[in-house]
Amino acid sequence: MKTVPLGQTGEQVSQFALGCMLMGTLADDESSYAMLDRYLDAGGTFLDTANCYAWWPGPPFRGGESESLLGRWLHRTGRRDEVFLATKGSAWIRDVDAVRDNPHDPAAASRQYEGAGAQTLRQALDDSLRRLGTDHVDLYYVHVDDRNTPLEETLEALAGLVAAGKTRYVGWSNIRTWRLERIRQLADRYGWPAPVALQQQHSYLRPRPGADTRSIVDDEQLDYLRANDDLTLVAYSPILKGSYDDLTKRRDHHVMASYRGADADARFAVVAEIAAEFGVTGNQLVLAWLLHQRDPEFVTLIGPRTPEQYASALPALDIALTDEHLARLAAAGEGTDG
């Protein structure tokens, strides 16, 4: 499995990262262990989780299940030294019941985020390490940007976690480019560790004009990443919940709200054409397209729920897109109104 540099740290991480979000909830122990074992046996190293994973499948889950599952698997296998382990803090839900009592309120969860205050992050990482059964993680993200806490407080706390050996590197997720630049300026000014990873939603579809791109890579953010190779993109939701092969999801799933329009339609069409030429699925074709990107080069994060879903992603590793295929994909949607 191919690797890519993690910023300028000297680390090489798997170009395919394995997202463990649903492990311990919708993915039971047996299925989760099977995916983890198969991923490592294929040469994969990069495992991604978060302390809040995953409360949303419903009772009895309240967060921490994914980390606890990984802790059981690491204890069972003894493979901690074989993985680059990432987790996140700041989006733990303080009152899950309050969110579940308001299922039609899209902001209900965000009002309950724990935030990125200094003591909150210190306690959150300690709790994550306990669940994971390890004394450190390799990468610790601020999961959602917290504008209610001074960035200086958050960055100084993260620097303390690095100095204490509880995480080797820090990252950020779900953040606008101007905030990321502010973070990097402060880190440089005070000598604090700067983010080496940026985890954002990124796929072949482009966000429509006017979409909220706080959590989605847009043209400005791509340009920023090209100019700053000390920061590596980790692209989540690369197949947009399987929308490239599922017309119902393409029409109804909330993930599509940021993309629908003529540009998306044109891009869906060319994906279908080229996928048919290769005899693969649209999802597989898009994963292959992501793996072929070099400007910038980045990590693609897959989050399978079953061993079958995991297996269905693997053919993307063997799809060799030519310059002509890449040009067709790049040109799709040009001249539309979005």
Side-chain angles (χ1 to χ4, degrees):
M1 196 173 292
K2 189 176 182 297
T3 63
V4 296
L6 181 70
Q8 295 176 359
T9 64
E11 298 279 351
Q12 291 283 323
V13 294
S14 298
Q15 191 181 23
F16 248 163
L18 182 59
C20 305
M21 180 173 70
L22 299 178
M23 294 183 182
T25 54
L26 296 181
D28 61 20
D29 284 22
E30 182 180 359
S31 296
S32 301
Y33 294 162
M35 289 186 280
L36 289 160
D37 290 341
R38 185 170 181 183
Y39 176 69
L40 263 69
D41 290 345
T45 59
F46 195 167
L47 301 181
D48 179 272
T49 187
N51 64 344
C52 66
Y53 295 163
W55 59 268
W56 52 90
F61 308 125
R62 308 188 73 83
E65 289 83 9
S66 173
E67 290 179 330
S68 295
L69 180 285
L70 285 171
R72 295 193 295 274
W73 176 78
L74 289 169
H75 178 75
R76 175 176 177 259
T77 63
R79 302 185 80 168
R80 173 66 184 92
D81 292 341
E82 298 179 46
V83 301
F84 187 90
L85 182 59
T87 194
K88 313 177 191 77
S90 79
W92 177 271
I93 300 295
R94 292 171 297 191
D95 187 345
V96 172
D97 294 328
V99 179
R100 290 178 177 154
D101 288 343
N102 294 278
H104 303 297
D105 181 357
S110 62
R111 288 197 297 271
Q112 294 294 335
Y113 289 157
E114 64 183 344
Q119 183 52 38
T120 298
L121 288 179
R122 286 192 286 263
Q123 185 62 56
L125 183 52
D126 282 345
D127 291 343
S128 290
L129 295 176
R130 174 179 49 79
R131 286 187 290 265
L132 290 162
T134 186
D135 62 356
H136 76 283
V137 293
D138 298 290
L139 175 61
Y140 192 57
Y141 292 97
V142 174
H143 197 166
V144 290
D145 190 25
D146 175 11
R147 297 194 192 180
N148 294 316
T149 300
L151 284 172
E152 292 87 346
E153 178 182 340
T154 299
L155 283 162
E156 186 173 25
L158 291 171
L161 295 173
V162 172
K166 294 182 179 182
T167 183
R168 297 170 62 208
Y169 306 108
V170 300
W172 235 273
S173 184
N174 301 301
I175 186 170
R176 295 195 186 278
T177 306
W178 70 267
R179 286 277 288 178
L180 188 61
E181 174 62 15
R182 178 64 175 154
I183 287 164
R184 287 160 53 86
Q185 289 176 357
L186 288 170
D188 181 65
R189 179 185 303 172
Y190 293 106
W192 294 325
V196 301
L198 169 67
Q199 189 170 136
Q200 297 281 91
Q201 185 169 292
H202 186 49
S203 186
Y204 171 63
L205 296 191
R206 296 178 287 212
R208 60 173 175 77
D212 181 357
T213 57
R214 173 180 48 198
S215 299
I216 302 173
V217 175
D218 60 9
D219 288 343
E220 180 185 27
Q221 202 158 78
L222 278 176
D223 186 56
Y224 188 83
L225 289 163
R226 293 185 189 106
N228 295 280
D229 63 0
D230 56 338
L231 185 64
T232 295
L233 173 65
V234 178
Y236 74 80
S237 293
I239 56 173
L240 299 176
K241 309 301 182 183
S243 295
Y244 294 96
D245 290 318
D246 190 322
L247 292 176
T248 300
K249 287 183 177 179
R250 193 180 303 180
R251 183 185 67 241
D252 300 333
H253 200 287
H254 64 81
V255 76
M256 284 298 301
S258 298
Y259 299 96
R260 290 189 186 95
D263 185 70
D265 292 343
R267 293 205 145 203
F268 277 129
V270 77
V271 164
E273 291 171 7
I274 296 176
E277 294 170 18
F278 277 93
V280 300
T281 68
N283 291 333
Q284 290 165 346
L285 192 283
V286 167
L287 289 174
W289 177 83
L290 290 161
L291 295 173
H292 278 71
Q293 300 307 298
R294 298 291 180 269
D295 188 25
E297 191 172 43
F298 52 82
V299 173
T300 297
L301 177 64
I302 58 171
R305 181 174 54 83
T306 66
E308 292 75 22
Q309 287 181 353
Y310 172 77
S312 72
L314 297 182
L317 296 168
D318 299 318
I319 298 172
L321 297 173
T322 66
D323 289 344
E324 187 268 339
H325 292 125
L326 293 170
R328 284 167 62 190
L329 288 159
E334 296 300 330
T336 67
D337 60 3

